[in-house]
Amino acid sequence: MSAKPKIAFYEFTSCEGCQLTVVDSLQLYPELLEAVDIVRFREAMSEMGDDYAIAFIEGSCSRPSDEAPIKAIREKAALVVALGACAHLGGINTIRNRHDLGEVRRFVYGDKAEWYDTYPARPISAVIKVDAAIPGCPIDRHEFVRTVKRLLQGRAPELPDHPLCVECKLKENVCLYLRGTTCLGPIVRAGCDAICPTYGDSCEGCRGLVPNPNIEHLKEVLTEHGLSVDQTLAKMTQFLTYQVMEMEAAGHGDPQPAH
Amino acid sequence: MNPMIIPKAALDDWVRLLRSSYRVVAPRPLHGQHVFGEVGSASEFDLGYPTSVLPPKKYLFPAREDLLKFRTDAQQVEATIDGPRTVVLGVHTCDMHAMQLLDRVMATGYSDQHYLAHRNKTTLVSVECLKPCTAGSFCKSMGTLSTPEVFDLHLTDLGDAYAAEVGSDRGAALLPGLKAARPFADKDTARLNRVMSEKWPRFPLRLEFDVTELPSLLSTSYDSELWKELGERCLACAMCTNVCPTCYCFNVMDEVDLTLKSGKRLREWDSCQLDKFATVAGGHNFRTARAARQRHRFFRKGKYQTDAFGLLGCVGCGRCAEACLVHITPVDTFNELYRRQHQPAAATPQGG
Ligand code: SF4
Ligand code: SF4
Ligand code: SF4
Ligand code: SF4
Ligand code: SF4
């Protein structure tokens, strides 16, 4: 590779935590800065170039006015990477998609509700074609670096498509179901090294669903372990709303638990 | 060599002594379960443990392991075969049977240098089970409730002491230096005989047929409807295979450094229960349905290994039964296949 590829970071509806994790990755792997040329990165620099080959987009598309800038990035960049759960899945912003948006706006913005043009939140891939995604809320530092390496090698980044339970068992964690709680691990895409179960917390699914999740039977498992219909729905809603609603629209994945 | 007696009070001295020459690993309690890990004293582990989350197989065939290092600029490749001399304390007899199978598999055909290197550096101290470990276990039905010949040292709990039977030079090498160890006396033989005869009735026979019938039962069950029923429930989480002491499938991958000039090749446990396992070059997947994958798994456990290596692929440890969130178990599966063949009219869907 001759010239160093220029990369840029953009943010839409998000907390910028994934970009902060990028800063963290750069501290962990300073060699990365020798391999690429960062031209726009609000978290770490004030200059703003707009000549770039790889664009990382953080955040979901949550307003009609987001669409034009997202499309403009696609026009310019050779490669677009969705960075983090909001960009990859719509993230927690999509929780509102199951509610009346007028009500949500009034709840959040009070008497200023009319000023905001929000609509159901969507992942970036619902607006433009994305070439790769780095899942997670926030992203995993090592996965970020792995993805950049593959892009530099000219190879398409690959996400693990097995469930979290695989990583969890390979680390020999005691399953949370045996510790009296519940977990979405069997239907969630691995890649975070099962960090939440490793620290005793259930997986909430921030990396999204595996390609063929058996949601129906996981719901039975959740019911058997004492979750009510509402609790199960809430668990499936935090990060998975967009994916689950898409499955429902396609006629799979009844949102109500099996019992 | 005659059996020896190791008083329990000397266990701590023994561990400290072993640690001067070996890494010592044993079942350590963790959140109500047990996990094999390095120990420094007798208070850190429990040889009366029920079962471990992962089998001690992980010391011979680690979940993730470097295979070689390479440089692409200099065309260099160097194998990474390394590991400490290890004593595994407290291997149950079912897991010993699993290692016997792995020993055959890994040495047959293309021999696995990494496995064999770990095996050569590992001393296995097995321990006799005196009561069933979990509700999911069925070792007595599988014939794995006594240790196979591959042990180095075999312990039986006599109350205040362990009877230690030596199975190899490697096992014998663990005892010199432990002053409290003494040869068996007549009263020890009587005690050992009593413990051994009292233990057997405590174990239920859980298969409803003789295990020697298992391979032929499977042969005639290939088209059973049961596979579809299991496939509907199965979450494809692969816990059953990842906790299994006889599973040995792995995936190989390369990781390059940021310079893109050097890197390493490593392997990681893989599972036939995962979507992509049977995907071959070109993208074709010849086992997409979870039903077909469940069938494959149980055929591996109850037939294919016997055909290929003369040993059963399931040792009845029950780990998969305890791990499976939708209650798919070998005992229920094998018994249900048997019932459907022998009383087809009365067949019921497998209970959950
Ligand atoms: S804790 Fe969660 S991720 Fe881990 S094995 Fe259990 S269900 Fe799977
Ligand atoms: S364990 Fe689940 S919630 Fe936690 S980081 Fe991983 S995918 Fe996200
Ligand atoms: S543990 Fe159970 S649910 Fe998971 S893959 Fe195995 S049989 Fe299926
Ligand atoms: S199939 Fe299940 S019971 Fe049999 S050896 Fe494997 S984990 Fe143990
Ligand atoms: S399955 Fe049997 S042999 Fe294995 S640990 Fe349990 S009781 Fe012991």
Side-chain angles (χ1 to χ4, degrees):
Chain A
M1 210 169 300
S2 47
K4 294 199 278 183
K6 292 192 167 68
I7 71 175
F9 291 86
Y10 286 91
E11 54 285 321
F12 291 86
T13 306
S14 60
C15 71
E16 300 193 24
C18 288
Q19 290 191 70
L20 276 178
T21 310
V22 170
V23 175
D24 205 30
S25 316
L26 294 175
Q27 278 166 352
L28 198 67
Y29 298 93
E31 325 83 273
L32 205 56
L33 285 171
E34 283 155 35
V36 298
D37 197 1
I38 303 180
V39 299
R40 184 188 190 281
F41 190 21
R42 204 167 84 142
E43 291 304 317
M45 57 196 270
S46 47
E47 311 88 88
M48 282 202 200
D50 67 353
D51 164 30
Y52 49 82
I54 309 177
F56 288 89
I57 303 183
E58 184 199 68
S60 61
C61 175
S62 67
R63 300 173 302 183
S65 56
D66 289 339
E67 290 182 24
I70 292 174
K71 287 177 180 154
I73 296 168
R74 179 72 270 185
E75 294 286 298
K76 268 192 200 145
L79 292 170
V80 174
V81 183
L83 187 72
C86 299
H88 171 222
L89 305 169
I92 56 170
N93 308 316
T94 60
I95 295 176
R96 69 173 185 232
N97 295 5
R98 284 205 188 270
H99 300 270
D100 175 70
L101 275 187
E103 236 171 70
V104 172
R105 262 199 298 269
R106 275 190 299 283
F107 185 78
V108 177
Y109 300 111
D111 58 5
K112 312 279 189 307
E114 301 310 312
W115 298 9
Y116 297 90
D117 63 340
T118 57
Y119 65 8
R122 289 180 297 161
I124 299 302
S125 62
V127 183
I128 56 170
K129 176 180 165 289
V130 305
D131 302 290
I134 305 179
C137 177
I139 57 162
D140 178 87
R141 295 176 294 182
H142 307 287
E143 189 167 50
F144 173 74
V145 173
R146 272 200 307 275
T147 306
V148 173
K149 277 197 280 196
R150 289 193 66 124
L151 291 173
L152 294 179
Q153 286 178 293
R155 297 159 73 198
E158 248 177 37
L159 294 178
D161 53 9
H162 50 259
L164 191 71
C165 296
V166 171
E167 284 177 344
C168 193
K169 276 282 94 42
L170 264 46
K171 288 183 91 174
E172 206 168 1
N173 292 333
V174 174
C175 181
L176 290 165
Y177 283 95
L178 295 175
R179 295 171 66 183
T181 159
T182 57
C183 180
L184 291 182
I187 57 168
V188 170
R189 191 188 286 277
C192 59
D193 212 17
I195 186 161
C196 297
T198 302
Y199 287 97
D201 277 329
S202 20
C203 170
E204 304 291 350
C206 77
R207 295 178 56 86
L209 295 169
V210 283
N212 297 303
N214 190 345
I215 295 183
E216 190 192 328
H217 278 83
L218 186 73
K219 280 179 181 158
E220 287 196 11
V221 172
L222 293 172
T223 309
E224 186 190 321
H225 287 262
L227 253 57
S228 67
V229 174
D230 286 350
Q231 285 168 319
T232 299
L233 196 58
K235 240 188 183 336
M236 299 282 173
T237 300
Q238 195 169 345
F239 287 104
L240 303 177
T241 309
Y242 192 84
Q243 284 183 308
V244 172
M245 285 177 80
E246 274 203 317
M247 289 174 75
E248 284 162 28
H252 311 293
D254 172 4
Q256 298 307 314
H259 297 303
Chain B
M1 193 168 156
N2 284 327
M4 300 283 287
I5 285 288
I6 302 174
K8 281 190 180 170
L11 204 52
D12 200 52
D13 286 345
W14 194 34
V15 171
R16 287 168 201 278
L17 182 73
L18 293 176
R19 274 175 63 84
S20 58
S21 320
Y22 304 90
R23 168 177 69 155
V24 181
V25 300
R28 304 168 58 105
L30 179 73
H31 303 305
Q33 309 270 311
H34 287 79
V35 167
F36 273 88
E38 188 162 1
V39 293
S41 71
S43 61
E44 294 169 35
F45 62 92
D46 173 14
L47 288 184
Y49 73 113
T51 184
S52 55
V53 178
L54 293 183
K57 154 188 106 173
K58 68 180 182 178
Y59 293 111
L60 307 179
F61 175 40
R64 199 178 160 87
E65 173 171 44
D66 290 353
L67 299 177
L68 54 87
K69 290 186 289 203
F70 58 80
R71 292 201 63 90
T72 49
D73 49 353
Q75 307 252 318
Q76 276 172 7
V77 178
E78 191 193 325
T80 321
I81 299 183
D82 204 10
R85 290 212 310 157
T86 303
V87 172
V88 189
L89 280 185
V91 183
H92 284 156
T93 55
C94 56
D95 285 335
M96 292 299 296
H97 280 270
M99 292 197 200
Q100 185 184 31
L101 172 69
L102 291 182
D103 284 351
R104 274 194 209 177
V105 171
M106 297 295 194
T108 303
Y110 176 84
S111 64
D112 191 299
Q113 298 308 312
H114 293 84
Y115 177 92
L116 296 176
H118 294 308
R119 188 69 175 88
N120 273 329
K121 286 183 159 183
T122 304
T123 306
L124 297 173
V125 180
S126 49
V127 61
E128 189 78 20
C129 290
L130 300 181
K131 59 176 194 292
C133 56
T134 62
S137 67
F138 52 108
C139 46
K140 190 175 180 181
S141 294
M142 301 308 280
T144 56
L145 189 45
S146 298
T147 185
E149 293 294 294
V150 290
F151 70 92
D152 295 306
L153 197 67
H154 182 70
L155 305 179
T156 305
D157 190 341
L158 301 180
D160 60 355
Y162 289 103
E165 187 186 340
V166 174
S168 72
D169 292 346
R170 258 190 280 183
L174 301 184
L175 292 175
L178 181 63
K179 291 187 198 67
R182 60 168 175 81
F184 245 50
D186 285 349
K187 67 170 193 315
D188 299 318
T189 311
R191 272 209 292 180
L192 179 60
N193 288 343
R194 195 177 61 241
V195 166
M196 291 302 280
S197 61
E198 281 172 3
K199 95 165 211 178
W200 286 91
R202 292 191 197 117
F203 289 81
L205 272 172
R206 298 192 57 216
L207 281 188
E208 292 166 11
F209 55 93
D210 191 274
V211 67
T212 52
E213 286 183 53
L214 184 55
S216 61
L217 170 66
L218 284 167
S219 307
T220 49
S221 301
Y222 192 83
D223 295 320
S224 171
E225 282 293 301
L226 183 61
W227 307 123
K228 215 167 82 216
E229 293 161 31
L230 299 187
E232 269 161 30
R233 259 156 67 196
C234 172
L235 304 169
C237 70
M239 280 208 255
C240 49
T241 54
N242 281 332
V243 300
C244 180
T246 66
C247 278
Y248 51 80
C249 286
F250 58 86
N251 194 8
V252 176
M253 52 210 126
D254 288 349
E255 271 180 12
V256 287
D257 298 337
L258 264 173
T259 60
L260 309 183
K261 292 201 177 76
S262 60
K264 63 182 182 179
R265 175 161 297 175
L266 49 101
R267 69 172 165 193
E268 197 173 75
W269 292 354
D270 200 352
S271 165
C272 59
Q273 296 312 297
L274 298 175
D275 264 352
K276 260 221 189 144
F277 182 79
T279 304
V280 291
H284 177 67
N285 185 338
F286 56 86
R287 225 179 281 125
T288 45
R290 290 194 297 264
R293 303 201 297 253
Q294 280 294 310
R295 173 172 61 199
H296 177 76
R297 167 190 165 209
F298 285 113
F299 268 70
R300 294 278 302 173
K301 299 300 157 196
K303 174 170 163 47
Y304 296 154
Q305 299 292 18
T306 320
D307 295 350
F309 299 103
L311 293 170
L312 274 165
C314 173
V315 296
C317 75
R319 286 188 182 88
C320 58
E322 296 291 309
C324 181
L325 295 171
V326 296
H327 314 295
I328 295 174
T329 75
V331 168
D332 291 344
T333 303
F334 294 148
N335 281 343
E336 183 62 25
L337 291 175
Y338 185 80
R339 274 176 230 143
R340 287 186 190 192
Q341 282 201 3
H342 291 81
Q343 322 131 26
T348 49
Q350 186 186 0

